[in-house]
Amino acid sequence: MSEFRPMLLPLRLAASLVLIFALGAAIGVAASPAEPLKKTAAKVEAPAAYVWSATRIGSGLRLRGTVPSEEVRRTLLGMVKAQLPDLAVVDRLKISAAGAPPQEQWLGAVSFGLKQLSRLQRGSVRLLNIELKLDGEARSAADYAELRNALAGPLPTGLTITADTVRPPTADPFVFVADLGKNTLSLSGSVPNETARKQLRDLSRRLFERPGLDDRLEFASGAPKDWNEAVAAALRALSRLDSGKIAMSGLAVTIEGVAPDKGTAVAVSYQLRRDLPEIFSTSEKLSWKEAATPRAIAAKGAPSAK
């Protein structure tokens, strides 16, 4: 037995070395796929948008963002001078061609944006690549209508409208008039938006038997709270008259006209006061046709004496 003892230590050492090498190999095999996993998990960032904006505040115009070159910058400033000649320009543009859209498309989008900005009394246009955002308040009802037509019509090549929060000009006071004549109902003054305008036209056709509807309404901001309900109540009252007019200025509503009889005149006055939202006030100036007396009816039907 003693002759085998000297070999026990080397055998144990060899076994330990084999175990160490085995563990190392296992660790190496497990760790080797970690590198590609690490690379796969790395965040892939999308290329930054190519941004340009123009903001109109008072008599000033501020330009920000990026232009592809100095030549394009001069072209852009020429567009500004042509579209907005009276504004003082603050130029904070930077030059970089990295990530720029095709030059002709980009300049077409810029020109279109500046044209819409010229129709605003305050606001901004902003390009992200070839996508346009607009915000602000129109200079007039006509400018607002032209801007709406431009956005609805054919756009420059490649351009898309991603946001549009342009408001019509503010009317103070906010005025609405409906005039009922013999054959026509005429609507004039201001209306908040196209949806309200369509609702008024539909309601007018249901309430009035007149063949003609003369719509001269213009878009404006600044309508009082519950304006739609107030207009509907006023039109319902007007529809019971033979002729007349309602006029709304801010929160004040007036109605005048001729009713078929006294009872209807009283009922119209009561109805309008009842149906108007509480914040509105009303005044009435109504008359009615005198009822014919039996003697007058008999006289009208009697044959003339020869």
Side-chain angles (χ1 to χ4, degrees), residues 5-18:
R5 287 179 182 171
M7 297 185 63
L8 291 176
L9 183 59
L11 287 174
R12 290 177 179 173
L13 179 60
S16 299
L17 291 175
V18 170

Side-chain angles (χ1 to χ4, degrees), residues 277-288:
E278 292 183 359
I279 59 174
F280 289 83
S281 62
T282 179
S283 61
E284 307 90 21
K285 187 179 179 181
L286 301 175
S287 59
W288 53 89

Side-chain angles (χ1 to χ4, degrees), residues 5-295:
R5 287 179 182 171
M7 297 185 63
L8 291 176
L9 183 59
L11 287 174
R12 290 177 179 173
L13 179 60
S16 299
L17 291 175
V18 170
L19 180 60
I20 291 172
F21 286 135
L23 290 173
I27 293 172
V29 171
S32 58
E35 289 303 321
L37 287 175
K38 189 180 295 183
K39 291 178 182 177
T40 304
K43 185 178 180 181
V44 179
E45 295 185 359
Y50 202 81
V51 180
W52 170 85
S53 68
T55 302
R56 180 172 187 169
I57 304 174
S59 60
L61 180 69
R62 184 176 60 210
L63 302 176
R64 285 183 170 178
T66 311
V67 292
S69 66
E70 183 59 40
E71 180 182 358
V72 172
R73 180 182 195 163
R74 289 194 296 268
T75 301
L76 190 152
L77 292 175
M79 293 178 179
V80 170
K81 188 173 182 180
Q83 299 282 6
L84 302 145
D86 300 327
L87 299 186
V89 178
V90 177
D91 180 359
R92 296 180 181 173
L93 297 171
K94 298 178 181 179
I95 297 174
S96 174
Q103 183 170 308
E104 290 187 5
Q105 286 189 7
W106 189 80
L107 282 174
V110 168
S111 178
F112 181 84
L114 288 172
K115 180 62 178 178
Q116 307 323 308
L117 189 60
S118 72
R119 293 170 170 147
L120 306 182
Q121 61 178 343
R122 65 179 66 88
S124 65
V125 292
R126 189 168 186 258
L127 269 178
L128 286 80
N129 298 323
I130 206 74
E131 300 175 347
L132 184 64
K133 295 183 177 182
L134 305 95
D135 177 66
E137 182 177 321
R139 298 173 61 186
S140 65
D143 283 307
Y144 183 75
E146 290 175 0
L147 184 142
R148 298 257 66 85
N149 289 335
L151 297 183
L155 300 175
T157 303
L159 179 64
T160 57
I161 309 298
T162 57
D164 167 25
T165 53
V166 175
R167 305 172 298 281
T170 301
D172 187 17
F174 200 89
V175 174
F176 171 83
V177 176
D179 196 342
L180 179 62
K182 184 176 181 180
N183 295 312
T184 304
L185 175 69
S186 298
L187 306 178
S188 60
S190 298
V191 65
N193 49 55
E194 184 59 40
T195 300
R197 183 178 195 167
K198 184 179 183 302
Q199 290 173 348
L200 284 180
R201 291 172 64 92
D202 292 344
L203 178 61
S204 297
R205 290 191 177 99
R206 290 198 304 270
L207 292 175
F208 298 89
E209 298 179 356
R210 308 299 195 273
L213 178 61
D214 181 16
D215 180 359
R216 290 174 284 164
L217 295 168
E218 294 184 334
F219 296 117
S221 300
K225 181 183 177 183
D226 298 329
W227 183 86
N228 290 344
E229 291 84 349
V231 170
L235 285 174
R236 285 194 296 268
L238 181 64
S239 70
R240 302 183 65 180
L241 302 180
D242 289 338
S243 62
K245 181 172 72 172
I246 56 171
M248 298 175 57
S249 179
L251 298 175
V253 181
T254 60
I255 183 169
E256 60 183 64
V258 179
D261 52 65
K262 183 177 181 180
T264 301
V266 173
V268 165
S269 177
Y270 169 77
Q271 174 189 334
L272 184 59
R273 292 173 181 270
R274 180 197 65 194
D275 293 348
L276 277 176
E278 292 183 359
I279 59 174
F280 289 83
S281 62
T282 179
S283 61
E284 307 90 21
K285 187 179 179 181
L286 301 175
S287 59
W288 53 89
K289 298 175 182 178
E290 293 292 343
T293 62
R295 181 178 296 179

